Amino acid sequence: MSDGVKSRADTRAAIVDAAASLLRESGPGAVTTRGVADRAGVQAPTIYRLFGDKDGLLEAVAEHVMAEFVSDKAAGVAAAAAADVDPLDDLRASWRKQIEFGLANPAVFRLLSDPERVSGSPAARMGRQILQTRVHRLAAAGRLRVPEAHAVDLIQAAGVGTIQTLLATPRERRDPSLGDAMMDAVLARILTDATAEAPDGPVATAVALRALSPQLGALSEGERRLLVEWLDRITQTPPGTSAGG
């Protein structure tokens, strides 16, 4: 790496760190070009050259803070899988950390809860992938009674809604039990009442088998695709109806 490229990267990192500090301390209004330049020890034109405008800088800061949080979550899910931590306990712990992060970083949360920003955010995509991994562990254990993608959507929607509700409530009036109560409501919708040894009904069995299908080495690739198609049909059929109509 040349000195010029390194200097540019270091300058960009210093600006992002300075802006992140101002964002945490005082919100988006404090992230002015002059304020960030003073704290980072650079000239204002440098910010425009690297980020275009204030919105570009805010997006870079939000991505930076979110990426750090997601990196910690990725390490957590890997450690939980390696230590064979109960997948439900792991999901609950991750949920609480997500709520805490949103409340501790309201400006970042609001920036990244904008659908247009989320669609272009590598950190947000990685965060969803980590949630998918946690939900997949539940499915493989035979504890899901809905398709994995549906469970991920429900958990994500509930998390965003919970954080938004708490942030819109004056701090002294916030219900500290709301997060856990919402998680319980979602779990009641997506989980079986059974253990991993005894999945609850055909849908839970189909969800579990689909999660494990990549490991079915006795099947050819075509056979696995056909099996997944059948299992998806089972999991997406409303209770009390037949897959044939």
Side-chain angles (χ1 to χ4, degrees):
M1 179 179 293
S2 69
D3 291 341
V5 173
K6 183 177 180 180
S7 175
R8 179 184 177 90
D10 288 346
T11 300
R12 190 180 195 282
I15 292 170
V16 169
D17 286 342
S21 297
L22 289 169
L23 188 66
R24 291 191 191 97
E25 293 166 8
S26 307
V31 186
T32 63
T33 302
R34 176 176 294 181
V36 173
D38 288 345
R39 183 166 293 201
V42 301
Q43 299 296 314
T46 304
I47 296 177
Y48 291 112
R49 185 170 66 250
L50 291 175
F51 301 97
D53 55 20
K54 179 180 174 179
D55 282 345
L57 175 58
L58 282 172
E59 288 190 14
V61 171
E63 187 68 21
H64 170 71
V65 175
M66 186 67 177
E68 287 185 336
F69 175 65
V70 167
S71 177
D72 289 342
K73 289 183 70 175
V77 73
D84 200 25
V85 173
D86 180 270
L88 181 55
D89 291 342
D90 182 37
L91 179 62
R92 283 187 178 277
S94 174
W95 168 270
R96 292 188 181 110
K97 288 180 181 178
Q98 184 73 39
I99 301 300
E100 290 170 0
F101 173 82
L103 296 181
N105 299 274
V108 171
F109 170 76
R110 290 187 176 105
L111 285 170
L112 286 176
S113 59
D114 178 343
E116 293 185 1
R117 293 180 191 270
V118 168
S119 63
S121 166
R125 286 196 297 273
M126 182 175 287
R128 183 176 175 86
Q129 290 169 3
I130 292 169
L131 175 56
Q132 289 169 339
T133 299
R134 287 191 158 99
V135 169
H136 181 75
R137 291 185 67 218
L138 281 171
R143 298 171 74 174
L144 276 190
R145 63 186 178 95
V146 300
E148 290 181 50
H150 185 55
V152 169
D153 286 343
L154 285 173
I155 294 168
Q156 197 163 47
V160 171
T162 298
I163 295 170
Q164 286 180 332
T165 298
L166 290 171
L167 287 176
T169 304
R171 189 180 299 272
E172 67 278 6
R173 290 174 48 204
R174 290 177 186 171
D175 179 0
S177 68
L178 181 63
D180 284 345
M182 184 62 77
M183 180 86 272
D184 289 341
V186 172
L187 293 177
R189 173 69 181 87
I190 68 174
L191 292 184
T192 71
D193 293 327
T195 65
E197 290 75 25
D200 179 23
V203 173
T205 302
V207 171
L209 184 56
R210 193 195 190 293
L212 296 171
S213 61
Q215 302 174 30
L216 302 178
L219 301 180
S220 69
E221 184 60 31
E223 288 169 336
R224 269 197 298 273
R225 284 198 299 267
L226 183 58
L227 175 62
V228 166
E229 180 181 338
W230 287 342
L231 294 172
D232 283 344
R233 195 179 304 171
I234 293 170
T235 62
Q236 293 165 13
T237 299
T241 63
S242 66

